Amino acid sequence: MLVTETTTPKGIEVKPSETRSYSVSDRNFSYTAPSCEIVTFEDCILTSGSWEHGLAGIVKEDKFYHERFTKDANNFRIKSPFWASARGTFNIDVESDYFYNYQVDEAFTWFNIGQYWHWFFEDLPLIEAFREIPDIPIITNTPLQFQLDSLDFFPDIKNRLMVVESPAIVKCKKVHAVTYPAISYRGKVASWAVNFLRENLVPEEEAEFKRVYISRNDAIARNVKNEPAVIDMLVDEFDFVPFNTHKTNSMSGMPLKEKLKLFATADIIVSPTGAGLTHTHAMKPNSIVVDFNHSFEITEECGWNNIADVCDLNWHTIEAETKEIPEERPKPKNAHMEVDIDKLRQTLQYAIAERT
């Protein structure tokens, strides 16, 4: 079937667009986060998109809609059971016996790529829109454990999930797509989405650690090459407790409620920029966060430091020295880094004194 990529029409506004402006470490950040809208399609076919559920778009007549409510990346456009290459006008297969077939009268679509930051800042806040039309099912791919953990905070939504096998074709009399409250590139997210997490993902109790270092030791990209020396300084001079440095203190398998407790209790968090900082939304106002990133990334990366502006955190970013790029993820932003320990020490001393 030949279809053409078509701009998603304007929908019913749930949250307006927002111009954001804030400063971190004497650097100014400014962007416009998009509005969140419910866009309705009738008598159409919903697909699960790529193998990773990107470009999980809607086919109506000879048009293909995905803009603003699905993730878009080159991998998604060329790695899919539905197409060989999804660009402009292309062939899409919606008839193969290989696909799982479903039919619904009315539903929301919530296919997602299952990546940590995107789930919490782009996908989970869509619950605000799902509650505008209660009682209808919400179609999604199989949730990962951290997604199920987060949905425990929203039992009304969890009970509405219609989990489908992939690759899926869903014939819909009416399907509602909800547009994202963020521009994925550089994490330019609306403040209401941060507030949604802060107000709803609330830990039941606190942990015991006040000063926490979060490693990226379990990641392929952006490892800190001199991390042992960094940790030694933080532990010896500032009484930090390291996490994610080995299996016994790994955060990848830590239940969400335990992570939220850790952040809600922490007075200071130090970490390389990355998904490990996602739950800084749970920190108390006036808490301190110090992250490190490549010099060429610092002026653009908003995915985590924008939380400081919304949650009133003292956020400080250190330029790290860029080292080698891992073969598995050959982009400059994924290069490993080395941290200037004297600069980290001085930054912490300044942040603590400034707050006092």
Side-chain angles (χ1 to χ4, degrees):
M1 178 180 184
L2 199 63
V3 295
T4 300
E5 286 184 271
T6 305
T7 300
T8 301
K10 181 77 174 174
I12 297 172
E13 189 173 86
V14 179
K15 298 286 184 179
S17 63
E18 175 192 10
T19 300
R20 298 206 53 197
S21 182
Y22 61 92
S23 297
V24 172
S25 297
D26 297 323
R27 298 179 184 88
N28 296 321
F29 296 83
S30 182
Y31 60 85
T32 299
S35 58
C36 178
E37 304 166 14
I38 299 173
V39 184
T40 301
F41 300 87
E42 296 184 353
D43 299 321
C44 57
I45 297 173
L46 172 65
T47 77
S48 58
S50 74
W51 290 112
E52 299 176 80
H53 304 106
L55 256 68
I58 292 168
V59 177
K60 183 172 173 60
E61 298 171 346
D62 61 349
K63 296 178 174 60
F64 183 69
Y65 300 92
H66 67 85
E67 181 198 35
R68 298 195 292 142
F69 64 88
T70 65
K71 297 295 181 295
D72 188 356
N74 185 57
N75 272 352
F76 303 153
R77 289 180 174 269
I78 60 175
K79 295 181 179 180
S80 168
F82 299 101
W83 53 73
S85 178
R87 295 189 185 281
T89 298
F90 62 97
N91 279 302
I92 183 169
D93 181 3
V94 292
E95 301 292 340
S96 174
D97 293 337
Y98 177 73
F99 305 142
Y100 295 92
N101 280 268
Y102 302 87
Q103 289 189 350
V104 296
D105 288 334
E106 183 177 8
F108 278 103
T109 174
W110 204 18
F111 285 111
N112 63 87
I113 60 174
Q115 292 184 8
Y116 207 82
W117 182 91
H118 293 286
W119 172 254
F120 283 99
F121 286 97
E122 294 180 329
D123 295 306
L124 203 61
L126 302 188
I127 287 173
E128 292 273 26
F130 297 155
R131 286 174 170 163
E132 293 290 314
I133 309 177
D135 303 325
I136 66 171
I138 302 167
I139 300 168
T140 188
N141 44 292
T142 303
L144 301 172
Q145 188 57 53
F146 74 83
Q147 295 172 307
L148 292 171
D149 287 350
S150 67
L151 289 168
D152 285 340
F153 289 85
F154 307 96
D156 61 318
I157 300 300
K158 194 172 186 178
N159 289 336
R160 291 170 58 188
L161 293 186
M162 175 182 167
V163 178
V164 300
E165 297 288 342
S166 300
I169 289 290
V170 188
K171 294 180 179 179
C172 309
K173 290 184 179 178
K174 182 182 290 186
V175 64
H176 308 284
V178 184
T179 63
Y180 289 125
I183 302 170
S184 291
Y185 183 68
R186 303 302 189 187
K188 298 174 180 179
V189 66
S191 61
W192 73 262
V194 179
N195 276 320
F196 176 84
L197 300 181
R198 181 170 63 165
E199 293 165 5
N200 288 281
L201 301 185
V202 180
E204 298 172 354
E205 55 188 26
E206 294 191 351
E208 57 181 302
F209 305 113
K210 290 293 185 182
R211 296 182 175 185
V212 173
Y213 174 77
I214 300 173
S215 172
R216 283 183 58 84
N217 196 38
D218 61 346
I220 295 173
R222 297 196 305 281
N223 296 148
V224 177
K225 303 302 288 184
N226 62 333
E227 189 168 76
V230 169
I231 291 175
D232 284 346
M233 186 275 289
L234 292 174
V235 172
D236 294 343
E237 299 181 26
F238 294 93
D239 296 321
F240 270 71
V241 176
F243 277 83
N244 220 42
T245 53
H246 47 76
K247 289 182 179 179
T248 58
N249 64 11
S250 172
M251 294 184 70
S252 60
M254 183 184 291
L256 176 60
K257 289 183 179 180
E258 293 300 312
K259 291 180 185 178
L260 294 173
K261 278 170 45 177
L262 186 69
F263 280 89
T265 307
D267 185 45
I268 307 175
I269 296 278
V270 174
S271 175
T273 300
L277 292 171
T278 295
H279 297 302
T280 48
H281 63 81
M283 297 179 76
K284 294 181 177 65
N286 214 28
S287 298
I288 294 169
V289 179
V290 179
D291 71 328
F292 8 95
N293 204 347
H294 304 294
S295 59
F296 55 85
E297 289 283 293
I298 281 178
T299 58
E300 292 291 332
E301 182 58 71
C302 305
W304 295 273
N305 64 29
N306 80 86
I307 302 169
D309 177 54
V310 178
C311 299
D312 196 22
L313 307 179
N314 298 308
W315 198 290
H316 302 265
T317 297
I318 295 174
E319 291 186 22
E321 181 182 351
T322 300
K323 309 301 282 188
E324 69 273 16
I325 299 173
E327 292 182 4
E328 302 91 332
R329 299 188 65 184
K331 290 184 178 180
K333 70 175 184 178
N334 294 325
H336 301 314
M337 62 184 79
E338 187 169 303
V339 177
D340 185 324
I341 292 177
D342 286 336
K343 186 183 292 185
L344 175 57
R345 179 187 292 111
Q346 292 164 11
T347 301
L348 278 170
Q349 290 171 339
Y350 171 78
I352 294 168
E354 181 186 46
R355 182 176 61 180
T356 303

